[in-house]
Amino acid sequence: LQEMQSRMIKLQEQLGEEIVTGSAGGGAVTCQVTGLQQLKSISITPEAVDPNDLAMLEDLIVLAVNDGMAKAKELYAQRLSVLTGGIRIPGLM
């Protein structure tokens, strides 16, 4: 059990350093999210900024962040599955 805890701590450290990219609008809005689902950055192309349609830009930001978070969650699940040998442990996934 102690070995598993040690591996879990190391896994979390690694996931904190791994970055996935979420995007929306064909790359008009992108974000970077760590494997621990922490938003690190958002990039917006100038073409995505229309002062007359801020609602669209807001929607693109939400979509990009949700995409990044989903990818981070998938990365976490993949790494955890390797650690647990495919056994699903309640509360970890």
Side-chain angles (χ1 to χ4, degrees), residues 28-70:
V29 176
T30 60
C31 69
Q32 294 197 337
V33 179
T34 70
L36 294 176
Q37 298 180 2
Q38 295 175 329
L39 180 64
K40 293 306 247 182
S41 69
I42 295 178
S43 298
I44 302 170
T45 64
E47 298 79 27
V49 181
D50 180 354
N52 296 317
D53 193 2
L54 290 179
M56 181 187 71
L57 178 56
E58 291 167 346
D59 289 343
L60 290 175
I61 292 169
V62 169
L63 290 170
V65 170
N66 285 339
D67 183 49
M69 292 296 181

